[in-house]
């Protein structure tokens, strides 16, 4: 019984620390409780629309993989603090995040910015994602004549 009580106390403590990390983020735009996350994650060079199109076009090729949170690029600069806190409270039951890995290696988030920030606030280093890796374009055969007389 004491172990269970200690476990619950540790869980409450980690949730409270995660809430504090969210509250300390810079104020964002668009929402009353908006927080800016550009100081935590790198902004993708791809637009949110580019990421959506790429993910949906290749969605059937996704595979589940654990990746470092710090390797994920964001496509939106703001999150809603209260929504993130709800995710933190229910972190065990939220769906995994969808990510696209572009040809240059950049992994941009398609869906799940609030879940990403919740995992970050809870101190996770890696998370499980649905990863769609776009095929790399191989230009090695271009401009190479097949005819040896050329």
């Amino acid at each position: 019984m004491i172990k269970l009580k200690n476990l619950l106390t540790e869980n409450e403590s980690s949730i409270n620390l995660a809430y504090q990390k969210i509250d300390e983020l810079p104020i964002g735009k668009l929402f009353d409780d908006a927080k800016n996350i550009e100081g935590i994650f790198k902004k993708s060079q791809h637009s949110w629309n580019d990421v959506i199109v790429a993910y949906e076009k290749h969605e059937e090729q996704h595979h589940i993989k654990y990746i470092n949170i710090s390797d994920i690029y964001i496509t939106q600069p703001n999150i809603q603090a209260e929504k993130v806190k709800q995710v933190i409270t229910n972190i065990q039951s939220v769906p995994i995040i969808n990510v696209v890995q572009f040809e240059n290696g950049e992994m941009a988030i398609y869906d799940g910015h609030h879940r990403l920030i919740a995992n970050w606030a809870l101190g996770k280093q890696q998370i499980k994602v649905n990863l769609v890796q776009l095929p790399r374009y191989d230009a090695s055969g271009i401009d190479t004549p097949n005819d040896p007389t050329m």
Side-chain angles (χ1 to χ4, degrees), residues 2 10 14 17 19 35 39 47 50 54 57 69 75 89 92-93 98 119 127 129 134 137 144 147:
I2 292 173
E10 285 178 27
S14 65
L17 287 172
Y19 282 4
K35 296 292 185 173
S47 72
D50 291 345
K57 183 176 179 182
I69 285 182
T75 55
T89 303
Q92 298 301 325
S93 62
N98 298 321
N119 279 285
I127 56 171
V129 301
L134 299 183
Y137 178 71
T144 305
D147 185 351

Side-chain angles (χ1 to χ4, degrees), residues 4-42:
L4 180 59
K5 188 175 181 178
N6 288 342
L7 185 60
L8 291 174
T9 303
E10 285 178 27
N11 190 41
E12 280 181 26
S13 178
S14 65
I15 288 173
N16 288 335
L17 287 172
Y19 282 4
Q20 184 178 349
K21 285 175 91 172
I22 298 304
D23 290 338
E24 292 172 353
L25 289 172
I27 294 173
K29 298 178 183 175
L30 302 178
F31 319 108
D32 290 340
D33 66 338
K35 296 292 185 173
N36 185 287
I37 59 173
E38 289 179 299
I40 301 167
F41 294 96
K42 296 169 267 193

